[in-house]
Amino acid sequence: MLGAIGLSFHPHCRGSNISLNSCLHQATRIHSFHNGLAFSNRPLLPKEKVRLKVLEIEQRWFGALRLGFTSVNPSNIDRNALPPFACPNLVNTSGFWAMGIPEEQCQEGAELCFWVDRKGQVFYQVKGHLRPKLLFSGLPRKAQIWAMMDVYGKTKAVQLLDDSTECLDTPYSCPQNKVDHKMGTRNNFMPVALDTLSQSPQSKYHSMQEPTKLDLYSQAMKFRLFREDEPICVICQDRLVDTLLLPCRHCSFCKPCVLKIRRQNNICPLCRQDIFSMQDVGEMPLLPSQGS
């Protein structure tokens, strides 16, 4: 009975920088700005809403929380195969959907919820806002889905809230215990290796058979964290890519985000090289690859 199991974070399928508290309701990114993926411990019930509170932010980064769903059982995913980002990495893999939430809606103390309707549309709502907003669509209508969260950029720590149909005011009672940063919990959960899983070939949903593909994809992404043809800025997830950084030539950002970066530390968020100049991509052709 899934309804008898409270919603919490999956104990072992999470990004390498995510630490969980002892009751698995709080997820904190302990290093850097990425590798902050976290999943729910069980598939969602029909019409169930996932409710979150932003506990802590880190102003030195750009971008914020990404929310989404997966039809791949997190228990069947090798955590070492997870890519560093939900967007654009994981959403390019079958069975994963996510989108970024604007920074201004992810301030410390902000409470929000997100859910899937019967048409496969994903909505989110921030406490204090009367109307929910459409985040994205296209989810399978009858497949089991797990919640997926990327504690990214300025968002440093989030907590799952009690699933109340009336409001977002009831947090889980989470003890403030010390957390093992290696395992993220006092319990010793063993990760499940991909080659030890038993999956039915008669599975109704093909996307449930994707763990091996995810592993191969993550290996390829080790040397290319951002897709250079991704049309949406990987920082804000709001605007189209339109700016080239020089000399590193990374082109995964919009001009407003690049201007913020240059005012702050003038370092490329991807390769950490100093930015000497920026160029609108429409003004000149991309430079040839080095060594060609």
Side-chain angles (χ1 to χ4, degrees), residues 218-264:
S218 67
Q219 295 298 316
M221 292 302 294
K222 285 182 178 180
F223 301 100
R224 191 181 186 188
L225 299 183
F226 291 94
R227 282 173 52 90
E228 295 298 337
D229 59 350
E230 183 67 20
I232 302 297
C233 173
V234 297
I235 295 177
C236 67
Q237 289 286 301
D238 287 333
R239 294 175 287 265
L240 293 176
V241 164
D242 61 6
T243 303
L244 178 75
L245 303 185
L246 296 172
C248 68
R249 305 188 350 253
H250 285 122
C251 183
S252 298
F253 320 105
C254 66
K255 188 172 183 178
C257 285
V258 171
L259 291 175
K260 287 183 181 180
I261 293 170
R262 299 206 70 182
R263 287 195 298 267
Q264 183 175 14

mmCIF file of all heavy atoms in Angstrom, residues 218-264:
data_model
loop_
_atom_site.group_PDB
_atom_site.id
_atom_site.type_symbol
_atom_site.label_atom_id
_atom_site.label_comp_id
_atom_site.label_asym_id
_atom_site.label_seq_id
_atom_site.Cartn_x
_atom_site.Cartn_y
_atom_site.Cartn_z
ATOM 1 N N SER A 218 25.874 8.723 -19.114
ATOM 2 C CA SER A 218 26.686 9.454 -18.146
ATOM 3 C C SER A 218 28.165 9.308 -18.440
ATOM 4 O O SER A 218 28.951 10.214 -18.201
ATOM 5 C CB SER A 218 26.385 8.969 -16.726
ATOM 6 O OG SER A 218 26.808 7.636 -16.556
ATOM 7 N N GLN A 219 28.587 8.160 -18.965
ATOM 8 C CA GLN A 219 29.980 7.995 -19.322
ATOM 9 C C GLN A 219 30.366 8.966 -20.431
ATOM 10 O O GLN A 219 31.440 9.563 -20.418
ATOM 11 C CB GLN A 219 30.243 6.547 -19.779
ATOM 12 C CG GLN A 219 30.048 5.517 -18.688
ATOM 13 C CD GLN A 219 30.994 5.725 -17.533
ATOM 14 O OE1 GLN A 219 32.176 5.984 -17.734
ATOM 15 N NE2 GLN A 219 30.476 5.639 -16.311
ATOM 16 N N ALA A 220 29.485 9.125 -21.403
ATOM 17 C CA ALA A 220 29.774 10.046 -22.502
ATOM 18 C C ALA A 220 29.801 11.489 -22.026
ATOM 19 O O ALA A 220 30.537 12.315 -22.565
ATOM 20 C CB ALA A 220 28.728 9.876 -23.600
ATOM 21 N N MET A 221 28.999 11.810 -20.992
ATOM 22 C CA MET A 221 28.897 13.180 -20.529
ATOM 23 C C MET A 221 30.045 13.603 -19.630
ATOM 24 O O MET A 221 30.144 14.751 -19.247
ATOM 25 C CB MET A 221 27.580 13.376 -19.765
ATOM 26 C CG MET A 221 26.344 13.276 -20.632
ATOM 27 S SD MET A 221 26.326 14.459 -21.987
ATOM 28 C CE MET A 221 26.205 15.998 -21.077
ATOM 29 N N LYS A 222 30.948 12.683 -19.272
ATOM 30 C CA LYS A 222 32.055 13.056 -18.414
ATOM 31 C C LYS A 222 32.920 14.140 -19.038
ATOM 32 O O LYS A 222 33.528 14.948 -18.348
ATOM 33 C CB LYS A 222 32.924 11.824 -18.110
ATOM 34 C CG LYS A 222 32.290 10.880 -17.103
ATOM 35 C CD LYS A 222 33.215 9.717 -16.798
ATOM 36 C CE LYS A 222 32.612 8.796 -15.760
ATOM 37 N NZ LYS A 222 33.487 7.657 -15.453
ATOM 38 N N PHE A 223 33.001 14.151 -20.350
ATOM 39 C CA PHE A 223 33.852 15.107 -21.025
ATOM 40 C C PHE A 223 33.047 16.226 -21.689
ATOM 41 O O PHE A 223 33.602 17.079 -22.351
ATOM 42 C CB PHE A 223 34.693 14.386 -22.081
ATOM 43 C CG PHE A 223 35.547 13.301 -21.498
ATOM 44 C CD1 PHE A 223 35.145 11.982 -21.582
ATOM 45 C CD2 PHE A 223 36.708 13.598 -20.822
ATOM 46 C CE1 PHE A 223 35.908 10.981 -21.018
ATOM 47 C CE2 PHE A 223 37.479 12.591 -20.280
ATOM 48 C CZ PHE A 223 37.085 11.273 -20.372
ATOM 49 N N ARG A 224 31.750 16.248 -21.480
ATOM 50 C CA ARG A 224 30.921 17.266 -22.100
ATOM 51 C C ARG A 224 29.696 17.477 -21.236
ATOM 52 O O ARG A 224 28.647 16.912 -21.462
ATOM 53 C CB ARG A 224 30.512 16.836 -23.502
ATOM 54 C CG ARG A 224 29.875 17.957 -24.312
ATOM 55 C CD ARG A 224 29.485 17.448 -25.677
ATOM 56 N NE ARG A 224 29.014 18.526 -26.517
ATOM 57 C CZ ARG A 224 28.460 18.340 -27.707
ATOM 58 N NH1 ARG A 224 28.331 17.128 -28.192
ATOM 59 N NH2 ARG A 224 28.048 19.361 -28.429
ATOM 60 N N LEU A 225 29.833 18.318 -20.219
ATOM 61 C CA LEU A 225 28.782 18.465 -19.234
ATOM 62 C C LEU A 225 27.578 19.208 -19.787
ATOM 63 O O LEU A 225 26.467 19.007 -19.347
ATOM 64 C CB LEU A 225 29.323 19.201 -18.004
ATOM 65 C CG LEU A 225 30.459 18.496 -17.276
ATOM 66 C CD1 LEU A 225 30.837 19.286 -16.044
ATOM 67 C CD2 LEU A 225 30.079 17.091 -16.893
ATOM 68 N N PHE A 226 27.801 20.105 -20.747
ATOM 69 C CA PHE A 226 26.709 20.853 -21.336
ATOM 70 C C PHE A 226 26.601 20.522 -22.811
ATOM 71 O O PHE A 226 27.613 20.394 -23.495
ATOM 72 C CB PHE A 226 26.942 22.371 -21.210
ATOM 73 C CG PHE A 226 26.858 22.882 -19.817
ATOM 74 C CD1 PHE A 226 28.012 23.009 -19.051
ATOM 75 C CD2 PHE A 226 25.651 23.251 -19.261
ATOM 76 C CE1 PHE A 226 27.939 23.493 -17.758
ATOM 77 C CE2 PHE A 226 25.574 23.732 -17.975
ATOM 78 C CZ PHE A 226 26.718 23.856 -17.223
ATOM 79 N N ARG A 227 25.399 20.419 -23.313
ATOM 80 C CA ARG A 227 25.177 20.279 -24.742
ATOM 81 C C ARG A 227 25.309 21.657 -25.369
ATOM 82 O O ARG A 227 24.629 22.593 -25.007
ATOM 83 C CB ARG A 227 23.771 19.734 -25.031
ATOM 84 C CG ARG A 227 23.626 18.254 -24.822
ATOM 85 C CD ARG A 227 22.178 17.856 -24.975
ATOM 86 N NE ARG A 227 21.618 18.346 -26.238
ATOM 87 C CZ ARG A 227 21.643 17.660 -27.375
ATOM 88 N NH1 ARG A 227 22.200 16.463 -27.406
ATOM 89 N NH2 ARG A 227 21.115 18.152 -28.472
ATOM 90 N N GLU A 228 26.208 21.786 -26.353
ATOM 91 C CA GLU A 228 26.434 23.079 -26.971
ATOM 92 C C GLU A 228 25.250 23.526 -27.840
ATOM 93 O O GLU A 228 25.155 24.686 -28.179
ATOM 94 C CB GLU A 228 27.713 23.014 -27.809
ATOM 95 C CG GLU A 228 28.972 22.779 -26.989
ATOM 96 C CD GLU A 228 29.257 23.891 -25.985
ATOM 97 O OE1 GLU A 228 28.779 25.015 -26.191
ATOM 98 O OE2 GLU A 228 29.942 23.628 -24.991
ATOM 99 N N ASP A 229 24.367 22.615 -28.228
ATOM 100 C CA ASP A 229 23.225 23.004 -29.037
ATOM 101 C C ASP A 229 21.955 23.148 -28.207
ATOM 102 O O ASP A 229 20.874 23.281 -28.752
ATOM 103 C CB ASP A 229 22.995 21.996 -30.165
ATOM 104 C CG ASP A 229 22.736 20.588 -29.641
ATOM 105 O OD1 ASP A 229 22.926 20.363 -28.432
ATOM 106 O OD2 ASP A 229 22.358 19.728 -30.458
ATOM 107 N N GLU A 230 22.070 23.122 -26.875
ATOM 108 C CA GLU A 230 20.888 23.272 -26.036
ATOM 109 C C GLU A 230 20.331 24.676 -26.192
ATOM 110 O O GLU A 230 21.038 25.657 -25.971
ATOM 111 C CB GLU A 230 21.258 23.013 -24.570
ATOM 112 C CG GLU A 230 20.107 23.071 -23.616
ATOM 113 C CD GLU A 230 19.120 21.938 -23.845
ATOM 114 O OE1 GLU A 230 19.508 20.925 -24.458
ATOM 115 O OE2 GLU A 230 17.965 22.077 -23.435
ATOM 116 N N PRO A 231 19.084 24.848 -26.610
ATOM 117 C CA PRO A 231 18.564 26.182 -26.898
ATOM 118 C C PRO A 231 18.241 27.018 -25.671
ATOM 119 O O PRO A 231 18.154 28.226 -25.772
ATOM 120 C CB PRO A 231 17.289 25.890 -27.696
ATOM 121 C CG PRO A 231 16.857 24.544 -27.230
ATOM 122 C CD PRO A 231 18.126 23.787 -26.950
ATOM 123 N N ILE A 232 18.045 26.396 -24.501
ATOM 124 C CA ILE A 232 17.673 27.122 -23.299
ATOM 125 C C ILE A 232 18.898 27.304 -22.406
ATOM 126 O O ILE A 232 19.695 26.383 -22.222
ATOM 127 C CB ILE A 232 16.581 26.370 -22.520
ATOM 128 C CG1 ILE A 232 15.352 26.145 -23.400
ATOM 129 C CG2 ILE A 232 16.179 27.143 -21.271
ATOM 130 C CD1 ILE A 232 14.680 27.405 -23.862
ATOM 131 N N CYS A 233 19.049 28.507 -21.867
ATOM 132 C CA CYS A 233 20.172 28.805 -20.967
ATOM 133 C C CYS A 233 20.177 27.805 -19.812
ATOM 134 O O CYS A 233 19.158 27.613 -19.136
ATOM 135 C CB CYS A 233 20.034 30.232 -20.441
ATOM 136 S SG CYS A 233 21.234 30.662 -19.166
ATOM 137 N N VAL A 234 21.322 27.182 -19.572
ATOM 138 C CA VAL A 234 21.400 26.155 -18.534
ATOM 139 C C VAL A 234 21.426 26.757 -17.135
ATOM 140 O O VAL A 234 21.304 26.028 -16.149
ATOM 141 C CB VAL A 234 22.652 25.265 -18.737
ATOM 142 C CG1 VAL A 234 22.569 24.510 -20.040
ATOM 143 C CG2 VAL A 234 23.930 26.089 -18.654
ATOM 144 N N ILE A 235 21.564 28.081 -17.020
ATOM 145 C CA ILE A 235 21.590 28.714 -15.705
ATOM 146 C C ILE A 235 20.178 29.094 -15.253
ATOM 147 O O ILE A 235 19.713 28.662 -14.207
ATOM 148 C CB ILE A 235 22.501 29.955 -15.710
ATOM 149 C CG1 ILE A 235 23.955 29.535 -15.961
ATOM 150 C CG2 ILE A 235 22.391 30.714 -14.395
ATOM 151 C CD1 ILE A 235 24.921 30.682 -16.055
ATOM 152 N N CYS A 236 19.494 29.901 -16.062
ATOM 153 C CA CYS A 236 18.168 30.386 -15.650
ATOM 154 C C CYS A 236 17.023 29.519 -16.137
ATOM 155 O O CYS A 236 15.920 29.568 -15.582
ATOM 156 C CB CYS A 236 17.973 31.810 -16.129
ATOM 157 S SG CYS A 236 17.865 31.985 -17.935
ATOM 158 N N GLN A 237 17.258 28.720 -17.193
ATOM 159 C CA GLN A 237 16.218 27.874 -17.785
ATOM 160 C C GLN A 237 15.003 28.692 -18.237
ATOM 161 O O GLN A 237 13.903 28.165 -18.377
ATOM 162 C CB GLN A 237 15.759 26.806 -16.785
ATOM 163 C CG GLN A 237 16.784 25.731 -16.525
ATOM 164 C CD GLN A 237 16.915 24.765 -17.682
ATOM 165 O OE1 GLN A 237 15.957 24.122 -18.073
ATOM 166 N NE2 GLN A 237 18.110 24.657 -18.228
ATOM 167 N N ASP A 238 15.208 29.981 -18.472
ATOM 168 C CA ASP A 238 14.114 30.861 -18.873
ATOM 169 C C ASP A 238 14.303 31.443 -20.267
ATOM 170 O O ASP A 238 13.330 31.708 -20.965
ATOM 171 C CB ASP A 238 13.968 32.029 -17.889
ATOM 172 C CG ASP A 238 13.364 31.609 -16.565
ATOM 173 O OD1 ASP A 238 12.613 30.626 -16.561
ATOM 174 O OD2 ASP A 238 13.646 32.263 -15.555
ATOM 175 N N ARG A 239 15.557 31.679 -20.676
ATOM 176 C CA ARG A 239 15.834 32.377 -21.933
ATOM 177 C C ARG A 239 16.654 31.499 -22.862
ATOM 178 O O ARG A 239 17.340 30.571 -22.430
ATOM 179 C CB ARG A 239 16.572 33.697 -21.654
ATOM 180 C CG ARG A 239 15.741 34.727 -20.906
ATOM 181 C CD ARG A 239 16.550 35.958 -20.544
ATOM 182 N NE ARG A 239 17.474 35.679 -19.458
ATOM 183 C CZ ARG A 239 17.211 35.916 -18.177
ATOM 184 N NH1 ARG A 239 16.047 36.445 -17.829
ATOM 185 N NH2 ARG A 239 18.094 35.638 -17.236
ATOM 186 N N LEU A 240 16.604 31.847 -24.149
ATOM 187 C CA LEU A 240 17.357 31.099 -25.144
ATOM 188 C C LEU A 240 18.845 31.399 -25.054
ATOM 189 O O LEU A 240 19.258 32.500 -24.679
ATOM 190 C CB LEU A 240 16.853 31.439 -26.559
ATOM 191 C CG LEU A 240 15.430 31.000 -26.910
ATOM 192 C CD1 LEU A 240 15.083 31.497 -28.304
ATOM 193 C CD2 LEU A 240 15.295 29.485 -26.835
ATOM 194 N N VAL A 241 19.649 30.412 -25.416
ATOM 195 C CA VAL A 241 21.098 30.599 -25.506
ATOM 196 C C VAL A 241 21.396 31.606 -26.607
ATOM 197 O O VAL A 241 20.869 31.499 -27.721
ATOM 198 C CB VAL A 241 21.780 29.243 -25.817
ATOM 199 C CG1 VAL A 241 23.210 29.461 -26.301
ATOM 200 C CG2 VAL A 241 21.740 28.337 -24.608
ATOM 201 N N ASP A 242 22.236 32.615 -26.292
ATOM 202 C CA ASP A 242 22.562 33.613 -27.321
ATOM 203 C C ASP A 242 23.949 34.214 -27.181
ATOM 204 O O ASP A 242 24.295 35.156 -27.884
ATOM 205 C CB ASP A 242 21.518 34.741 -27.314
ATOM 206 C CG ASP A 242 21.457 35.501 -25.994
ATOM 207 O OD1 ASP A 242 22.294 35.242 -25.104
ATOM 208 O OD2 ASP A 242 20.567 36.365 -25.854
ATOM 209 N N THR A 243 24.782 33.682 -26.260
ATOM 210 C CA THR A 243 26.065 34.318 -25.977
ATOM 211 C C THR A 243 27.185 33.298 -25.927
ATOM 212 O O THR A 243 27.057 32.245 -25.287
ATOM 213 C CB THR A 243 26.004 35.082 -24.641
ATOM 214 O OG1 THR A 243 24.935 36.037 -24.698
ATOM 215 C CG2 THR A 243 27.305 35.817 -24.359
ATOM 216 N N LEU A 244 28.280 33.636 -26.580
ATOM 217 C CA LEU A 244 29.480 32.801 -26.631
ATOM 218 C C LEU A 244 30.534 33.388 -25.707
ATOM 219 O O LEU A 244 30.769 34.606 -25.711
ATOM 220 C CB LEU A 244 30.012 32.766 -28.068
ATOM 221 C CG LEU A 244 31.304 31.988 -28.346
ATOM 222 C CD1 LEU A 244 31.020 30.496 -28.336
ATOM 223 C CD2 LEU A 244 31.879 32.407 -29.696
ATOM 224 N N LEU A 245 31.161 32.530 -24.888
ATOM 225 C CA LEU A 245 32.234 32.974 -24.005
ATOM 226 C C LEU A 245 33.577 32.719 -24.672
ATOM 227 O O LEU A 245 33.797 31.677 -25.292
ATOM 228 C CB LEU A 245 32.173 32.229 -22.661
ATOM 229 C CG LEU A 245 30.868 32.331 -21.867
ATOM 230 C CD1 LEU A 245 31.021 31.638 -20.526
ATOM 231 C CD2 LEU A 245 30.456 33.780 -21.683
ATOM 232 N N LEU A 246 34.487 33.662 -24.519
ATOM 233 C CA LEU A 246 35.841 33.524 -25.067
ATOM 234 C C LEU A 246 36.861 33.714 -23.959
ATOM 235 O O LEU A 246 36.668 34.555 -23.078
ATOM 236 C CB LEU A 246 36.066 34.564 -26.179
ATOM 237 C CG LEU A 246 35.176 34.411 -27.427
ATOM 238 C CD1 LEU A 246 35.369 35.606 -28.363
ATOM 239 C CD2 LEU A 246 35.462 33.108 -28.149
ATOM 240 N N PRO A 247 37.937 32.914 -23.947
ATOM 241 C CA PRO A 247 38.400 32.039 -25.033
ATOM 242 C C PRO A 247 37.880 30.597 -24.959
ATOM 243 O O PRO A 247 38.182 29.793 -25.823
ATOM 244 C CB PRO A 247 39.907 32.039 -24.830
ATOM 245 C CG PRO A 247 40.058 32.119 -23.340
ATOM 246 C CD PRO A 247 38.950 33.026 -22.876
ATOM 247 N N CYS A 248 37.088 30.225 -23.931
ATOM 248 C CA CYS A 248 36.721 28.808 -23.776
ATOM 249 C C CYS A 248 35.685 28.349 -24.802
ATOM 250 O O CYS A 248 35.535 27.161 -25.041
ATOM 251 C CB CYS A 248 36.218 28.549 -22.360
ATOM 252 S SG CYS A 248 34.633 29.327 -21.985
ATOM 253 N N ARG A 249 34.902 29.311 -25.382
ATOM 254 C CA ARG A 249 33.953 29.047 -26.448
ATOM 255 C C ARG A 249 32.729 28.261 -25.987
ATOM 256 O O ARG A 249 32.041 27.665 -26.807
ATOM 257 C CB ARG A 249 34.618 28.334 -27.639
ATOM 258 C CG ARG A 249 35.800 29.064 -28.179
ATOM 259 C CD ARG A 249 36.393 28.515 -29.462
ATOM 260 N NE ARG A 249 35.929 27.253 -29.917
ATOM 261 C CZ ARG A 249 36.622 26.123 -29.860
ATOM 262 N NH1 ARG A 249 37.825 26.126 -29.310
ATOM 263 N NH2 ARG A 249 36.136 25.007 -30.354
ATOM 264 N N HIS A 250 32.453 28.248 -24.706
ATOM 265 C CA HIS A 250 31.209 27.614 -24.248
ATOM 266 C C HIS A 250 30.037 28.529 -24.576
ATOM 267 O O HIS A 250 30.098 29.742 -24.371
ATOM 268 C CB HIS A 250 31.264 27.322 -22.748
ATOM 269 C CG HIS A 250 32.132 26.150 -22.425
ATOM 270 N ND1 HIS A 250 33.215 26.226 -21.588
ATOM 271 C CD2 HIS A 250 32.081 24.870 -22.880
ATOM 272 C CE1 HIS A 250 33.808 25.032 -21.515
ATOM 273 N NE2 HIS A 250 33.133 24.200 -22.281
ATOM 274 N N CYS A 251 28.985 27.923 -25.077
ATOM 275 C CA CYS A 251 27.827 28.677 -25.569
ATOM 276 C C CYS A 251 26.546 28.020 -25.067
ATOM 277 O O CYS A 251 25.772 27.476 -25.845
ATOM 278 C CB CYS A 251 27.869 28.734 -27.101
ATOM 279 S SG CYS A 251 26.549 29.709 -27.823
ATOM 280 N N SER A 252 26.353 28.051 -23.746
ATOM 281 C CA SER A 252 25.175 27.429 -23.147
ATOM 282 C C SER A 252 24.424 28.408 -22.262
ATOM 283 O O SER A 252 23.665 27.989 -21.396
ATOM 284 C CB SER A 252 25.596 26.213 -22.310
ATOM 285 O OG SER A 252 26.204 25.244 -23.120
ATOM 286 N N PHE A 253 24.614 29.714 -22.495
ATOM 287 C CA PHE A 253 24.079 30.720 -21.584
ATOM 288 C C PHE A 253 23.406 31.851 -22.347
ATOM 289 O O PHE A 253 23.701 32.103 -23.516
ATOM 290 C CB PHE A 253 25.199 31.306 -20.715
ATOM 291 C CG PHE A 253 26.196 30.292 -20.239
ATOM 292 C CD1 PHE A 253 27.463 30.213 -20.797
ATOM 293 C CD2 PHE A 253 25.864 29.397 -19.242
ATOM 294 C CE1 PHE A 253 28.373 29.263 -20.369
ATOM 295 C CE2 PHE A 253 26.764 28.438 -18.805
ATOM 296 C CZ PHE A 253 28.026 28.371 -19.369
ATOM 297 N N CYS A 254 22.514 32.544 -21.668
ATOM 298 C CA CYS A 254 21.904 33.746 -22.233
ATOM 299 C C CYS A 254 22.716 34.963 -21.799
ATOM 300 O O CYS A 254 23.488 34.905 -20.832
ATOM 301 C CB CYS A 254 20.455 33.876 -21.773
ATOM 302 S SG CYS A 254 20.257 34.174 -20.010
ATOM 303 N N LYS A 255 22.526 36.074 -22.485
ATOM 304 C CA LYS A 255 23.314 37.278 -22.218
ATOM 305 C C LYS A 255 23.096 37.831 -20.807
ATOM 306 O O LYS A 255 24.072 38.185 -20.131
ATOM 307 C CB LYS A 255 23.007 38.337 -23.265
ATOM 308 C CG LYS A 255 23.932 39.554 -23.173
ATOM 309 C CD LYS A 255 23.719 40.487 -24.358
ATOM 310 C CE LYS A 255 24.692 41.655 -24.310
ATOM 311 N NZ LYS A 255 24.513 42.544 -25.489
ATOM 312 N N PRO A 256 21.836 37.925 -20.300
ATOM 313 C CA PRO A 256 21.667 38.434 -18.931
ATOM 314 C C PRO A 256 22.423 37.612 -17.883
ATOM 315 O O PRO A 256 23.004 38.174 -16.951
ATOM 316 C CB PRO A 256 20.150 38.371 -18.718
ATOM 317 C CG PRO A 256 19.572 38.492 -20.082
ATOM 318 C CD PRO A 256 20.516 37.739 -20.967
ATOM 319 N N CYS A 257 22.434 36.283 -18.037
ATOM 320 C CA CYS A 257 23.161 35.457 -17.072
ATOM 321 C C CYS A 257 24.672 35.649 -17.209
ATOM 322 O O CYS A 257 25.393 35.671 -16.205
ATOM 323 C CB CYS A 257 22.784 33.982 -17.250
ATOM 324 S SG CYS A 257 21.139 33.564 -16.612
ATOM 325 N N VAL A 258 25.151 35.795 -18.433
ATOM 326 C CA VAL A 258 26.580 36.035 -18.633
ATOM 327 C C VAL A 258 26.989 37.361 -18.016
ATOM 328 O O VAL A 258 28.061 37.479 -17.394
ATOM 329 C CB VAL A 258 26.932 35.988 -20.129
ATOM 330 C CG1 VAL A 258 28.367 36.459 -20.359
ATOM 331 C CG2 VAL A 258 26.770 34.577 -20.682
ATOM 332 N N LEU A 259 26.164 38.385 -18.155
ATOM 333 C CA LEU A 259 26.483 39.679 -17.550
ATOM 334 C C LEU A 259 26.554 39.572 -16.021
ATOM 335 O O LEU A 259 27.418 40.189 -15.384
ATOM 336 C CB LEU A 259 25.425 40.703 -17.961
ATOM 337 C CG LEU A 259 25.434 41.108 -19.442
ATOM 338 C CD1 LEU A 259 24.260 42.036 -19.751
ATOM 339 C CD2 LEU A 259 26.755 41.766 -19.820
ATOM 340 N N LYS A 260 25.666 38.767 -15.431
ATOM 341 C CA LYS A 260 25.741 38.551 -13.982
ATOM 342 C C LYS A 260 27.046 37.862 -13.604
ATOM 343 O O LYS A 260 27.698 38.217 -12.613
ATOM 344 C CB LYS A 260 24.553 37.699 -13.523
ATOM 345 C CG LYS A 260 23.223 38.415 -13.503
ATOM 346 C CD LYS A 260 22.142 37.481 -12.966
ATOM 347 C CE LYS A 260 20.774 38.137 -12.954
ATOM 348 N NZ LYS A 260 19.725 37.210 -12.438
ATOM 349 N N ILE A 261 27.419 36.861 -14.389
ATOM 350 C CA ILE A 261 28.660 36.130 -14.117
ATOM 351 C C ILE A 261 29.862 37.066 -14.195
ATOM 352 O O ILE A 261 30.756 37.026 -13.343
ATOM 353 C CB ILE A 261 28.816 34.965 -15.116
ATOM 354 C CG1 ILE A 261 27.742 33.904 -14.892
ATOM 355 C CG2 ILE A 261 30.209 34.334 -15.009
ATOM 356 C CD1 ILE A 261 27.675 32.854 -15.986
ATOM 357 N N ARG A 262 29.886 37.905 -15.204
ATOM 358 C CA ARG A 262 31.031 38.794 -15.388
ATOM 359 C C ARG A 262 31.129 39.811 -14.259
ATOM 360 O O ARG A 262 32.228 40.197 -13.859
ATOM 361 C CB ARG A 262 30.943 39.493 -16.742
ATOM 362 C CG ARG A 262 30.950 38.524 -17.930
ATOM 363 C CD ARG A 262 31.487 39.172 -19.177
ATOM 364 N NE ARG A 262 32.921 39.419 -19.057
ATOM 365 C CZ ARG A 262 33.651 40.019 -20.001
ATOM 366 N NH1 ARG A 262 33.064 40.430 -21.126
ATOM 367 N NH2 ARG A 262 34.936 40.217 -19.838
ATOM 368 N N ARG A 263 29.995 40.244 -13.728
ATOM 369 C CA ARG A 263 30.027 41.188 -12.605
ATOM 370 C C ARG A 263 30.491 40.516 -11.323
ATOM 371 O O ARG A 263 31.084 41.158 -10.456
ATOM 372 C CB ARG A 263 28.636 41.803 -12.397
ATOM 373 C CG ARG A 263 28.229 42.815 -13.451
ATOM 374 C CD ARG A 263 27.026 43.631 -12.995
ATOM 375 N NE ARG A 263 25.851 42.800 -12.777
ATOM 376 C CZ ARG A 263 24.924 42.571 -13.690
ATOM 377 N NH1 ARG A 263 25.052 43.093 -14.907
ATOM 378 N NH2 ARG A 263 23.873 41.806 -13.414
ATOM 379 N N GLN A 264 30.214 39.212 -11.208
ATOM 380 C CA GLN A 264 30.525 38.535 -9.948
ATOM 381 C C GLN A 264 31.961 38.024 -9.888
ATOM 382 O O GLN A 264 32.742 38.458 -9.061
ATOM 383 C CB GLN A 264 29.553 37.381 -9.717
ATOM 384 C CG GLN A 264 29.778 36.678 -8.384
ATOM 385 C CD GLN A 264 28.739 35.619 -8.106
ATOM 386 O OE1 GLN A 264 28.004 35.225 -9.008
ATOM 387 N NE2 GLN A 264 28.676 35.153 -6.878
#
